[in-house]
């Protein structure tokens, strides 16, 4: 093979490489997606009303007579049944997991000895009252 044939072969190889590099640069410019201004994904979260708006939207106090007229003794018994898993309601039965609830109205909150009350309940001041 003479040098002219070798130059033609190497020129074709070099020309092919140059065409491939030019095509890669052109394709990169044409098909490159836009980069976001801020990297990452945006997570859509429903915005809540500020605490002041929630307090303003609170319903007006309803008189106790109206509440008692619409009260249901069956509903009260159902709610009390849930409490009976941990508490007793009758005098002299003794406490279960939670303290005895007999005569609790007027008693200081988290005051029965022998029970490990939560920090939230211990932080409450005052005594138990009727609703």
């Amino acid at each position: 093979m003479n040098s002219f044939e070798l130059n033609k072969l190497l020129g074709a190889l070099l020309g092919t490489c140059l065409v491939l590099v030019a095509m890669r640069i052109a394709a990169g410019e044409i098909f490159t997606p836009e980069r976001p201004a801020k990297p990452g994904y945006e997570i859509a979260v429903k915005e809540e009303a500020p605490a002041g708006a929630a307090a303003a939207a609170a319903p007006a106090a309803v008189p106790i007579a109206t509440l008692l007229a619409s009260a249901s003794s069956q509903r009260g018994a159902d709610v009390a049944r849930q409490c009976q898993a941990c508490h007793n309601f009758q005098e002299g039965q003794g406490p279960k997991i939670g303290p005895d609830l007999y005569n609790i109205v007027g008693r200081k909150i988290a005051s029965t000895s022998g029970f490990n009350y939560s920090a939230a309940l211990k932080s409450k001041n005052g005594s138990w009252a009727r609703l």
Side-chain angles (χ1 to χ4, degrees):
M1 178 184 276
N2 64 19
S3 64
F4 185 69
E5 292 289 324
L6 185 61
N7 284 344
K8 284 194 315 186
L9 189 63
L10 289 176
L13 183 64
L14 183 62
T16 304
C17 288
L18 286 174
V19 167
L20 288 175
V21 168
M23 287 177 54
R24 182 180 182 280
I25 291 172
E29 291 298 319
I30 295 171
F31 298 109
T32 301
E34 292 182 25
R35 292 189 180 235
K38 182 178 175 185
Y41 295 100
E42 182 180 342
I43 299 173
V45 178
K46 182 180 177 183
E47 292 191 27
E48 296 180 12
V62 180
I64 190 71
T66 307
L67 292 174
L68 287 176
S70 63
S72 166
S73 61
Q74 182 59 40
R75 171 80 175 118
D78 291 341
V79 171
R81 196 171 297 116
Q82 296 170 3
C83 300
Q84 284 178 332
C86 301
H87 302 281
N88 281 320
F89 294 110
Q90 278 75 34
E91 183 178 14
Q93 286 188 339
K96 292 182 180 178
I97 296 170
D100 218 353
L101 295 182
Y102 179 78
N103 201 18
I104 194 167
V105 176
R107 189 186 311 163
K108 186 175 185 286
I109 295 175
S111 63
T112 305
S113 61
F115 292 98
N116 187 15
Y117 294 101
S118 68
L121 194 58
K122 287 178 185 177
S123 69
K124 302 291 182 189
N125 292 326
S127 57
W128 296 106
R130 291 182 200 260
L131 294 177

